[in-house]
Amino acid sequence: MTLDTLPGGPGTLDSPFLRPSAGLFRNRRTRRPGEVNLKSCGLLHPRAAAVHAQTLGQLDPVDVLTYPDYRPAYAMLAERLGTTPDSLVLTAGSDPGLGLLTRAFPSVTRIVLHHPNYDGWSKFARIAGCEPDPVPADPATGRFVLGDLLPRLRQGPPAFVVVTQPHSLTGQVHEARQLAELAEAVGAHGSLLVLDTAYLAFTEGGEELVRGLTGLRHVVRVNSFSKCYGLSGARIAVLVAHPATARHLFDLDPEAPVSAVALALLQGSLRRHGVFEEVWAEVRGLRARFAERVEEALPGWRSRPGGGNFVTWDVPGPGQAASATGHLHEHGIVIRDLSGLPGLPAALRIAVADGPTVDRVVDLLRTWREGFAE
């Protein structure tokens, strides 16, 4: 018997399991030898790598041979985030955390958010049957205004209202008062405010900007550890929610895919939190100097104020953006060309890794500029 002769085989229409698909969300990441990825904005810092090497060197094989115990990680995270363990939900990265929210509340059909934004929201909207309801930046300033989300929210039923703090493409940071006012209005509408804080560690005083929202019934914080602790490959994140919301999320067994190795790396990072605080401070200083040096070398490039571990520049035209991106790629540096996104007609985003990498990128951009023809 072959596939052709099975019921529902090729050429028949009576099997729900055989149908064409575009494979839309298949991962196609590649990595060249020696390549430096400054596009994804992971924490590429040698001190972070040293912490993880130490943790992996001390990993007990029993933790790999047996199912993990999540309780120690929850206790450490609760202390670090100023909450209780029953408010926390571990997930295998922030993408599963976002997907968890859309699956846990299937009656919600809208996601109100600033656009452009993290691509994952469009992905999970599609999977869950939600409709993204995008709100553009202020055309006069190019900046996002939290108050602009409310008129759109009030035009329809309860929704997820998404705010990235700081913004994952521009680095824009919102004030604590603005966030509190938005949270109150979202709660009054019967909606849920989702704060994506993947880059918040690189904002000086960032935790204080969101601490007042921790534990509110109508607020969920999604925090990846890919950026702050350099755990992109470990795939681990946490959702911070009201305990009642957290219990509802646990109905979908979200922590089961979180491995013991990822837990060990997270706990090792939490134990060495002081090291990472020093790294974050270093990145903030490098970010400011990086922006200044590039603007000095490249007339017409203007950096946006930001709180992430990256700098976003508006550049004179998309041709320049594409040419500079190609030049860096030829020399083993991958960055993100944002040109053409709403409010970003010609722009580049480059992550801040460490001092030598910043020096290398600046030198390469100077070389590119010398040979670039308008």
Side-chain angles (χ1 to χ4, degrees), residues 234-272:
R235 311 308 301 131
I236 188 164
V238 71
L239 275 61
V240 187
H242 186 277
T245 305
R247 286 194 298 273
H248 179 64
L249 297 177
F250 273 116
D251 289 343
L252 297 175
D253 195 20
E255 64 186 10
V258 178
S259 72
V261 175
L263 284 172
L265 288 164
L266 173 59
Q267 291 175 83
S269 301
L270 289 166
R271 292 189 188 99
R272 303 289 301 279

PDB file of all heavy atoms in Angstrom, residues 234-272:
ATOM      1  N   ALA A 234      18.773  29.987  24.513  1.00  0.00           N
ATOM      2  CA  ALA A 234      18.169  29.166  25.561  1.00  0.00           C
ATOM      3  C   ALA A 234      16.658  29.167  25.471  1.00  0.00           C
ATOM      4  O   ALA A 234      16.006  28.254  25.981  1.00  0.00           O
ATOM      5  CB  ALA A 234      18.595  29.668  26.941  1.00  0.00           C
ATOM      6  N   ARG A 235      16.058  30.184  24.857  1.00  0.00           N
ATOM      7  CA  ARG A 235      14.616  30.308  24.672  1.00  0.00           C
ATOM      8  C   ARG A 235      13.893  30.246  26.018  1.00  0.00           C
ATOM      9  O   ARG A 235      13.321  29.226  26.399  1.00  0.00           O
ATOM     10  CB  ARG A 235      14.063  29.208  23.743  1.00  0.00           C
ATOM     11  CG  ARG A 235      14.801  28.996  22.430  1.00  0.00           C
ATOM     12  CD  ARG A 235      14.992  30.276  21.629  1.00  0.00           C
ATOM     13  NE  ARG A 235      13.726  30.922  21.302  1.00  0.00           N
ATOM     14  CZ  ARG A 235      13.478  32.210  21.502  1.00  0.00           C
ATOM     15  NH1 ARG A 235      14.390  32.993  22.061  1.00  0.00           N
ATOM     16  NH2 ARG A 235      12.321  32.727  21.174  1.00  0.00           N
ATOM     17  N   ILE A 236      13.911  31.351  26.743  1.00  0.00           N
ATOM     18  CA  ILE A 236      13.223  31.409  28.024  1.00  0.00           C
ATOM     19  C   ILE A 236      12.761  32.833  28.286  1.00  0.00           C
ATOM     20  O   ILE A 236      13.464  33.804  27.954  1.00  0.00           O
ATOM     21  CB  ILE A 236      14.118  30.889  29.181  1.00  0.00           C
ATOM     22  CG1 ILE A 236      13.306  30.785  30.475  1.00  0.00           C
ATOM     23  CG2 ILE A 236      15.369  31.729  29.347  1.00  0.00           C
ATOM     24  CD1 ILE A 236      13.978  29.938  31.547  1.00  0.00           C
ATOM     25  N   ALA A 237      11.559  32.951  28.843  1.00  0.00           N
ATOM     26  CA  ALA A 237      10.955  34.247  29.144  1.00  0.00           C
ATOM     27  C   ALA A 237      10.007  34.060  30.315  1.00  0.00           C
ATOM     28  O   ALA A 237       9.742  32.932  30.759  1.00  0.00           O
ATOM     29  CB  ALA A 237      10.205  34.789  27.927  1.00  0.00           C
ATOM     30  N   VAL A 238       9.495  35.179  30.827  1.00  0.00           N
ATOM     31  CA  VAL A 238       8.515  35.108  31.908  1.00  0.00           C
ATOM     32  C   VAL A 238       7.387  36.093  31.651  1.00  0.00           C
ATOM     33  O   VAL A 238       7.615  37.178  31.104  1.00  0.00           O
ATOM     34  CB  VAL A 238       9.166  35.384  33.279  1.00  0.00           C
ATOM     35  CG1 VAL A 238       9.558  36.851  33.443  1.00  0.00           C
ATOM     36  CG2 VAL A 238       8.267  34.943  34.432  1.00  0.00           C
ATOM     37  N   LEU A 239       6.169  35.697  31.992  1.00  0.00           N
ATOM     38  CA  LEU A 239       5.023  36.595  31.998  1.00  0.00           C
ATOM     39  C   LEU A 239       4.737  36.961  33.448  1.00  0.00           C
ATOM     40  O   LEU A 239       4.738  36.095  34.333  1.00  0.00           O
ATOM     41  CB  LEU A 239       3.789  35.925  31.390  1.00  0.00           C
ATOM     42  CG  LEU A 239       3.644  35.976  29.860  1.00  0.00           C
ATOM     43  CD1 LEU A 239       4.793  35.289  29.175  1.00  0.00           C
ATOM     44  CD2 LEU A 239       2.317  35.361  29.435  1.00  0.00           C
ATOM     45  N   VAL A 240       4.509  38.245  33.704  1.00  0.00           N
ATOM     46  CA  VAL A 240       4.168  38.745  35.035  1.00  0.00           C
ATOM     47  C   VAL A 240       2.722  39.217  34.974  1.00  0.00           C
ATOM     48  O   VAL A 240       2.389  40.115  34.188  1.00  0.00           O
ATOM     49  CB  VAL A 240       5.097  39.901  35.458  1.00  0.00           C
ATOM     50  CG1 VAL A 240       4.839  40.281  36.912  1.00  0.00           C
ATOM     51  CG2 VAL A 240       6.564  39.533  35.246  1.00  0.00           C
ATOM     52  N   ALA A 241       1.863  38.613  35.790  1.00  0.00           N
ATOM     53  CA  ALA A 241       0.431  38.876  35.691  1.00  0.00           C
ATOM     54  C   ALA A 241      -0.208  38.838  37.082  1.00  0.00           C
ATOM     55  O   ALA A 241       0.424  38.439  38.067  1.00  0.00           O
ATOM     56  CB  ALA A 241      -0.232  37.832  34.794  1.00  0.00           C
ATOM     57  N   HIS A 242      -1.450  39.248  37.161  1.00  0.00           N
ATOM     58  CA  HIS A 242      -2.238  39.050  38.370  1.00  0.00           C
ATOM     59  C   HIS A 242      -2.347  37.534  38.605  1.00  0.00           C
ATOM     60  O   HIS A 242      -2.461  36.754  37.654  1.00  0.00           O
ATOM     61  CB  HIS A 242      -3.631  39.660  38.177  1.00  0.00           C
ATOM     62  CG  HIS A 242      -4.478  39.631  39.393  1.00  0.00           C
ATOM     63  ND1 HIS A 242      -5.201  38.517  39.769  1.00  0.00           N
ATOM     64  CD2 HIS A 242      -4.727  40.581  40.335  1.00  0.00           C
ATOM     65  CE1 HIS A 242      -5.862  38.768  40.881  1.00  0.00           C
ATOM     66  NE2 HIS A 242      -5.602  40.011  41.252  1.00  0.00           N
ATOM     67  N   PRO A 243      -2.294  37.088  39.872  1.00  0.00           N
ATOM     68  CA  PRO A 243      -2.345  35.638  40.122  1.00  0.00           C
ATOM     69  C   PRO A 243      -3.526  34.933  39.462  1.00  0.00           C
ATOM     70  O   PRO A 243      -3.389  33.799  38.990  1.00  0.00           O
ATOM     71  CB  PRO A 243      -2.427  35.555  41.647  1.00  0.00           C
ATOM     72  CG  PRO A 243      -1.720  36.789  42.132  1.00  0.00           C
ATOM     73  CD  PRO A 243      -2.063  37.854  41.116  1.00  0.00           C
ATOM     74  N   ALA A 244      -4.689  35.585  39.410  1.00  0.00           N
ATOM     75  CA  ALA A 244      -5.845  34.950  38.763  1.00  0.00           C
ATOM     76  C   ALA A 244      -5.602  34.759  37.274  1.00  0.00           C
ATOM     77  O   ALA A 244      -5.980  33.728  36.692  1.00  0.00           O
ATOM     78  CB  ALA A 244      -7.101  35.793  38.998  1.00  0.00           C
ATOM     79  N   THR A 245      -4.967  35.735  36.636  1.00  0.00           N
ATOM     80  CA  THR A 245      -4.632  35.604  35.218  1.00  0.00           C
ATOM     81  C   THR A 245      -3.585  34.526  35.018  1.00  0.00           C
ATOM     82  O   THR A 245      -3.668  33.721  34.081  1.00  0.00           O
ATOM     83  CB  THR A 245      -4.132  36.946  34.663  1.00  0.00           C
ATOM     84  OG1 THR A 245      -5.105  37.964  34.905  1.00  0.00           O
ATOM     85  CG2 THR A 245      -3.846  36.855  33.173  1.00  0.00           C
ATOM     86  N   ALA A 246      -2.592  34.500  35.909  1.00  0.00           N
ATOM     87  CA  ALA A 246      -1.548  33.481  35.809  1.00  0.00           C
ATOM     88  C   ALA A 246      -2.141  32.079  35.912  1.00  0.00           C
ATOM     89  O   ALA A 246      -1.771  31.175  35.147  1.00  0.00           O
ATOM     90  CB  ALA A 246      -0.495  33.710  36.889  1.00  0.00           C
ATOM     91  N   ARG A 247      -3.070  31.874  36.851  1.00  0.00           N
ATOM     92  CA  ARG A 247      -3.702  30.555  36.972  1.00  0.00           C
ATOM     93  C   ARG A 247      -4.432  30.171  35.688  1.00  0.00           C
ATOM     94  O   ARG A 247      -4.399  29.013  35.259  1.00  0.00           O
ATOM     95  CB  ARG A 247      -4.679  30.548  38.154  1.00  0.00           C
ATOM     96  CG  ARG A 247      -4.004  30.510  39.523  1.00  0.00           C
ATOM     97  CD  ARG A 247      -4.991  30.167  40.627  1.00  0.00           C
ATOM     98  NE  ARG A 247      -6.052  31.158  40.754  1.00  0.00           N
ATOM     99  CZ  ARG A 247      -5.962  32.255  41.503  1.00  0.00           C
ATOM    100  NH1 ARG A 247      -4.849  32.503  42.184  1.00  0.00           N
ATOM    101  NH2 ARG A 247      -6.976  33.103  41.589  1.00  0.00           N
ATOM    102  N   HIS A 248      -5.067  31.151  35.075  1.00  0.00           N
ATOM    103  CA  HIS A 248      -5.764  30.885  33.808  1.00  0.00           C
ATOM    104  C   HIS A 248      -4.767  30.483  32.721  1.00  0.00           C
ATOM    105  O   HIS A 248      -5.025  29.551  31.937  1.00  0.00           O
ATOM    106  CB  HIS A 248      -6.541  32.132  33.386  1.00  0.00           C
ATOM    107  CG  HIS A 248      -7.281  31.984  32.101  1.00  0.00           C
ATOM    108  ND1 HIS A 248      -8.313  31.088  31.926  1.00  0.00           N
ATOM    109  CD2 HIS A 248      -7.127  32.610  30.906  1.00  0.00           C
ATOM    110  CE1 HIS A 248      -8.761  31.174  30.687  1.00  0.00           C
ATOM    111  NE2 HIS A 248      -8.063  32.084  30.055  1.00  0.00           N
ATOM    112  N   LEU A 249      -3.631  31.134  32.672  1.00  0.00           N
ATOM    113  CA  LEU A 249      -2.623  30.802  31.671  1.00  0.00           C
ATOM    114  C   LEU A 249      -2.055  29.405  31.900  1.00  0.00           C
ATOM    115  O   LEU A 249      -1.725  28.691  30.947  1.00  0.00           O
ATOM    116  CB  LEU A 249      -1.499  31.843  31.704  1.00  0.00           C
ATOM    117  CG  LEU A 249      -1.904  33.278  31.353  1.00  0.00           C
ATOM    118  CD1 LEU A 249      -0.720  34.222  31.499  1.00  0.00           C
ATOM    119  CD2 LEU A 249      -2.478  33.365  29.950  1.00  0.00           C
ATOM    120  N   PHE A 250      -1.941  29.010  33.179  1.00  0.00           N
ATOM    121  CA  PHE A 250      -1.406  27.681  33.478  1.00  0.00           C
ATOM    122  C   PHE A 250      -2.327  26.559  33.010  1.00  0.00           C
ATOM    123  O   PHE A 250      -1.895  25.407  32.895  1.00  0.00           O
ATOM    124  CB  PHE A 250      -1.126  27.552  34.978  1.00  0.00           C
ATOM    125  CG  PHE A 250       0.238  28.037  35.372  1.00  0.00           C
ATOM    126  CD1 PHE A 250       0.389  29.131  36.209  1.00  0.00           C
ATOM    127  CD2 PHE A 250       1.381  27.403  34.902  1.00  0.00           C
ATOM    128  CE1 PHE A 250       1.650  29.580  36.565  1.00  0.00           C
ATOM    129  CE2 PHE A 250       2.651  27.842  35.257  1.00  0.00           C
ATOM    130  CZ  PHE A 250       2.785  28.942  36.094  1.00  0.00           C
ATOM    131  N   ASP A 251      -3.575  26.872  32.727  1.00  0.00           N
ATOM    132  CA  ASP A 251      -4.468  25.846  32.175  1.00  0.00           C
ATOM    133  C   ASP A 251      -3.955  25.296  30.853  1.00  0.00           C
ATOM    134  O   ASP A 251      -4.322  24.189  30.442  1.00  0.00           O
ATOM    135  CB  ASP A 251      -5.884  26.417  31.972  1.00  0.00           C
ATOM    136  CG  ASP A 251      -6.609  26.663  33.285  1.00  0.00           C
ATOM    137  OD1 ASP A 251      -6.172  26.119  34.315  1.00  0.00           O
ATOM    138  OD2 ASP A 251      -7.604  27.417  33.286  1.00  0.00           O
ATOM    139  N   LEU A 252      -3.102  26.064  30.172  1.00  0.00           N
ATOM    140  CA  LEU A 252      -2.560  25.651  28.881  1.00  0.00           C
ATOM    141  C   LEU A 252      -1.153  25.065  29.003  1.00  0.00           C
ATOM    142  O   LEU A 252      -0.463  24.879  27.997  1.00  0.00           O
ATOM    143  CB  LEU A 252      -2.542  26.851  27.922  1.00  0.00           C
ATOM    144  CG  LEU A 252      -3.921  27.421  27.593  1.00  0.00           C
ATOM    145  CD1 LEU A 252      -3.789  28.669  26.735  1.00  0.00           C
ATOM    146  CD2 LEU A 252      -4.788  26.391  26.900  1.00  0.00           C
ATOM    147  N   ASP A 253      -0.710  24.787  30.229  1.00  0.00           N
ATOM    148  CA  ASP A 253       0.582  24.128  30.489  1.00  0.00           C
ATOM    149  C   ASP A 253       1.749  24.833  29.792  1.00  0.00           C
ATOM    150  O   ASP A 253       2.503  24.228  29.036  1.00  0.00           O
ATOM    151  CB  ASP A 253       0.511  22.662  30.041  1.00  0.00           C
ATOM    152  CG  ASP A 253       1.657  21.831  30.611  1.00  0.00           C
ATOM    153  OD1 ASP A 253       2.264  22.250  31.617  1.00  0.00           O
ATOM    154  OD2 ASP A 253       1.963  20.765  30.028  1.00  0.00           O
ATOM    155  N   PRO A 254       1.944  26.124  30.046  1.00  0.00           N
ATOM    156  CA  PRO A 254       2.936  26.884  29.293  1.00  0.00           C
ATOM    157  C   PRO A 254       4.385  26.563  29.628  1.00  0.00           C
ATOM    158  O   PRO A 254       5.262  26.710  28.784  1.00  0.00           O
ATOM    159  CB  PRO A 254       2.619  28.330  29.671  1.00  0.00           C
ATOM    160  CG  PRO A 254       2.024  28.228  31.038  1.00  0.00           C
ATOM    161  CD  PRO A 254       1.218  26.964  31.020  1.00  0.00           C
ATOM    162  N   GLU A 255       4.661  26.103  30.859  1.00  0.00           N
ATOM    163  CA  GLU A 255       6.058  25.946  31.255  1.00  0.00           C
ATOM    164  C   GLU A 255       6.642  24.601  30.831  1.00  0.00           C
ATOM    165  O   GLU A 255       7.861  24.398  30.923  1.00  0.00           O
ATOM    166  CB  GLU A 255       6.202  26.118  32.768  1.00  0.00           C
ATOM    167  CG  GLU A 255       5.486  25.059  33.575  1.00  0.00           C
ATOM    168  CD  GLU A 255       5.501  25.314  35.075  1.00  0.00           C
ATOM    169  OE1 GLU A 255       5.905  26.416  35.495  1.00  0.00           O
ATOM    170  OE2 GLU A 255       5.102  24.412  35.831  1.00  0.00           O
ATOM    171  N   ALA A 256       5.807  23.671  30.356  1.00  0.00           N
ATOM    172  CA  ALA A 256       6.298  22.336  30.008  1.00  0.00           C
ATOM    173  C   ALA A 256       7.460  22.355  29.009  1.00  0.00           C
ATOM    174  O   ALA A 256       8.393  21.560  29.145  1.00  0.00           O
ATOM    175  CB  ALA A 256       5.154  21.479  29.470  1.00  0.00           C
ATOM    176  N   PRO A 257       7.475  23.245  27.988  1.00  0.00           N
ATOM    177  CA  PRO A 257       8.602  23.235  27.047  1.00  0.00           C
ATOM    178  C   PRO A 257       9.884  23.877  27.581  1.00  0.00           C
ATOM    179  O   PRO A 257      10.910  23.856  26.895  1.00  0.00           O
ATOM    180  CB  PRO A 257       8.073  24.040  25.852  1.00  0.00           C
ATOM    181  CG  PRO A 257       6.601  24.126  26.033  1.00  0.00           C
ATOM    182  CD  PRO A 257       6.389  24.106  27.511  1.00  0.00           C
ATOM    183  N   VAL A 258       9.849  24.456  28.777  1.00  0.00           N
ATOM    184  CA  VAL A 258      11.042  25.114  29.326  1.00  0.00           C
ATOM    185  C   VAL A 258      11.991  24.041  29.853  1.00  0.00           C
ATOM    186  O   VAL A 258      11.651  23.283  30.761  1.00  0.00           O
ATOM    187  CB  VAL A 258      10.668  26.098  30.448  1.00  0.00           C
ATOM    188  CG1 VAL A 258      11.916  26.734  31.043  1.00  0.00           C
ATOM    189  CG2 VAL A 258       9.733  27.183  29.916  1.00  0.00           C
ATOM    190  N   SER A 259      13.201  23.989  29.306  1.00  0.00           N
ATOM    191  CA  SER A 259      14.126  22.909  29.642  1.00  0.00           C
ATOM    192  C   SER A 259      14.909  23.213  30.907  1.00  0.00           C
ATOM    193  O   SER A 259      15.054  24.363  31.331  1.00  0.00           O
ATOM    194  CB  SER A 259      15.110  22.696  28.492  1.00  0.00           C
ATOM    195  OG  SER A 259      16.041  23.768  28.430  1.00  0.00           O
ATOM    196  N   ALA A 260      15.459  22.164  31.499  1.00  0.00           N
ATOM    197  CA  ALA A 260      16.309  22.322  32.679  1.00  0.00           C
ATOM    198  C   ALA A 260      17.565  23.109  32.348  1.00  0.00           C
ATOM    199  O   ALA A 260      18.086  23.852  33.192  1.00  0.00           O
ATOM    200  CB  ALA A 260      16.669  20.949  33.243  1.00  0.00           C
ATOM    201  N   VAL A 261      18.066  22.971  31.140  1.00  0.00           N
ATOM    202  CA  VAL A 261      19.260  23.729  30.743  1.00  0.00           C
ATOM    203  C   VAL A 261      18.941  25.221  30.697  1.00  0.00           C
ATOM    204  O   VAL A 261      19.723  26.054  31.179  1.00  0.00           O
ATOM    205  CB  VAL A 261      19.788  23.234  29.377  1.00  0.00           C
ATOM    206  CG1 VAL A 261      20.957  24.096  28.911  1.00  0.00           C
ATOM    207  CG2 VAL A 261      20.207  21.773  29.472  1.00  0.00           C
ATOM    208  N   ALA A 262      17.782  25.572  30.118  1.00  0.00           N
ATOM    209  CA  ALA A 262      17.389  26.984  30.087  1.00  0.00           C
ATOM    210  C   ALA A 262      17.198  27.523  31.499  1.00  0.00           C
ATOM    211  O   ALA A 262      17.609  28.649  31.812  1.00  0.00           O
ATOM    212  CB  ALA A 262      16.105  27.142  29.269  1.00  0.00           C
ATOM    213  N   LEU A 263      16.582  26.732  32.379  1.00  0.00           N
ATOM    214  CA  LEU A 263      16.394  27.154  33.765  1.00  0.00           C
ATOM    215  C   LEU A 263      17.737  27.386  34.456  1.00  0.00           C
ATOM    216  O   LEU A 263      17.919  28.358  35.193  1.00  0.00           O
ATOM    217  CB  LEU A 263      15.598  26.109  34.535  1.00  0.00           C
ATOM    218  CG  LEU A 263      14.102  26.039  34.284  1.00  0.00           C
ATOM    219  CD1 LEU A 263      13.518  24.825  34.992  1.00  0.00           C
ATOM    220  CD2 LEU A 263      13.412  27.308  34.759  1.00  0.00           C
ATOM    221  N   ALA A 264      18.681  26.483  34.229  1.00  0.00           N
ATOM    222  CA  ALA A 264      19.997  26.626  34.849  1.00  0.00           C
ATOM    223  C   ALA A 264      20.690  27.897  34.378  1.00  0.00           C
ATOM    224  O   ALA A 264      21.300  28.623  35.172  1.00  0.00           O
ATOM    225  CB  ALA A 264      20.853  25.397  34.529  1.00  0.00           C
ATOM    226  N   LEU A 265      20.589  28.194  33.082  1.00  0.00           N
ATOM    227  CA  LEU A 265      21.207  29.406  32.547  1.00  0.00           C
ATOM    228  C   LEU A 265      20.543  30.666  33.100  1.00  0.00           C
ATOM    229  O   LEU A 265      21.216  31.655  33.411  1.00  0.00           O
ATOM    230  CB  LEU A 265      21.141  29.392  31.025  1.00  0.00           C
ATOM    231  CG  LEU A 265      22.075  28.386  30.349  1.00  0.00           C
ATOM    232  CD1 LEU A 265      21.674  28.164  28.896  1.00  0.00           C
ATOM    233  CD2 LEU A 265      23.529  28.852  30.432  1.00  0.00           C
ATOM    234  N   LEU A 266      19.219  30.617  33.240  1.00  0.00           N
ATOM    235  CA  LEU A 266      18.523  31.758  33.821  1.00  0.00           C
ATOM    236  C   LEU A 266      18.922  31.956  35.277  1.00  0.00           C
ATOM    237  O   LEU A 266      19.236  33.081  35.700  1.00  0.00           O
ATOM    238  CB  LEU A 266      17.012  31.553  33.712  1.00  0.00           C
ATOM    239  CG  LEU A 266      16.144  32.596  34.421  1.00  0.00           C
ATOM    240  CD1 LEU A 266      16.417  34.004  33.887  1.00  0.00           C
ATOM    241  CD2 LEU A 266      14.667  32.246  34.305  1.00  0.00           C
ATOM    242  N   GLN A 267      18.937  30.883  36.064  1.00  0.00           N
ATOM    243  CA  GLN A 267      19.302  31.007  37.470  1.00  0.00           C
ATOM    244  C   GLN A 267      20.755  31.444  37.628  1.00  0.00           C
ATOM    245  O   GLN A 267      21.075  32.247  38.517  1.00  0.00           O
ATOM    246  CB  GLN A 267      19.058  29.681  38.190  1.00  0.00           C
ATOM    247  CG  GLN A 267      17.585  29.340  38.315  1.00  0.00           C
ATOM    248  CD  GLN A 267      17.364  27.961  38.920  1.00  0.00           C
ATOM    249  OE1 GLN A 267      17.387  27.807  40.134  1.00  0.00           O
ATOM    250  NE2 GLN A 267      17.154  26.972  38.072  1.00  0.00           N
ATOM    251  N   GLY A 268      21.625  30.957  36.754  1.00  0.00           N
ATOM    252  CA  GLY A 268      23.014  31.410  36.794  1.00  0.00           C
ATOM    253  C   GLY A 268      23.128  32.898  36.518  1.00  0.00           C
ATOM    254  O   GLY A 268      23.929  33.603  37.140  1.00  0.00           O
ATOM    255  N   SER A 269      22.303  33.393  35.604  1.00  0.00           N
ATOM    256  CA  SER A 269      22.298  34.828  35.288  1.00  0.00           C
ATOM    257  C   SER A 269      21.762  35.637  36.462  1.00  0.00           C
ATOM    258  O   SER A 269      22.287  36.701  36.792  1.00  0.00           O
ATOM    259  CB  SER A 269      21.450  35.091  34.038  1.00  0.00           C
ATOM    260  OG  SER A 269      21.945  34.384  32.923  1.00  0.00           O
ATOM    261  N   LEU A 270      20.712  35.141  37.109  1.00  0.00           N
ATOM    262  CA  LEU A 270      20.132  35.851  38.253  1.00  0.00           C
ATOM    263  C   LEU A 270      21.120  35.907  39.417  1.00  0.00           C
ATOM    264  O   LEU A 270      21.198  36.915  40.124  1.00  0.00           O
ATOM    265  CB  LEU A 270      18.832  35.171  38.676  1.00  0.00           C
ATOM    266  CG  LEU A 270      17.655  35.341  37.705  1.00  0.00           C
ATOM    267  CD1 LEU A 270      16.539  34.360  38.039  1.00  0.00           C
ATOM    268  CD2 LEU A 270      17.127  36.779  37.725  1.00  0.00           C
ATOM    269  N   ARG A 271      21.869  34.836  39.609  1.00  0.00           N
ATOM    270  CA  ARG A 271      22.871  34.831  40.681  1.00  0.00           C
ATOM    271  C   ARG A 271      23.986  35.830  40.411  1.00  0.00           C
ATOM    272  O   ARG A 271      24.588  36.371  41.340  1.00  0.00           O
ATOM    273  CB  ARG A 271      23.456  33.426  40.847  1.00  0.00           C
ATOM    274  CG  ARG A 271      22.485  32.396  41.379  1.00  0.00           C
ATOM    275  CD  ARG A 271      23.196  31.097  41.716  1.00  0.00           C
ATOM    276  NE  ARG A 271      22.228  30.054  42.053  1.00  0.00           N
ATOM    277  CZ  ARG A 271      21.828  29.109  41.203  1.00  0.00           C
ATOM    278  NH1 ARG A 271      22.345  29.055  39.974  1.00  0.00           N
ATOM    279  NH2 ARG A 271      20.948  28.211  41.582  1.00  0.00           N
ATOM    280  N   ARG A 272      24.276  36.058  39.125  1.00  0.00           N
ATOM    281  CA  ARG A 272      25.344  36.999  38.742  1.00  0.00           C
ATOM    282  C   ARG A 272      24.745  38.297  38.218  1.00  0.00           C
ATOM    283  O   ARG A 272      25.300  38.945  37.334  1.00  0.00           O
ATOM    284  CB  ARG A 272      26.227  36.360  37.664  1.00  0.00           C
ATOM    285  CG  ARG A 272      26.863  35.024  38.050  1.00  0.00           C
ATOM    286  CD  ARG A 272      27.957  35.177  39.096  1.00  0.00           C
ATOM    287  NE  ARG A 272      29.012  36.050  38.647  1.00  0.00           N
ATOM    288  CZ  ARG A 272      30.002  35.662  37.826  1.00  0.00           C
ATOM    289  NH1 ARG A 272      30.043  34.421  37.370  1.00  0.00           N
ATOM    290  NH2 ARG A 272      30.948  36.512  37.476  1.00  0.00           N
TER     291      ARG A 272
END
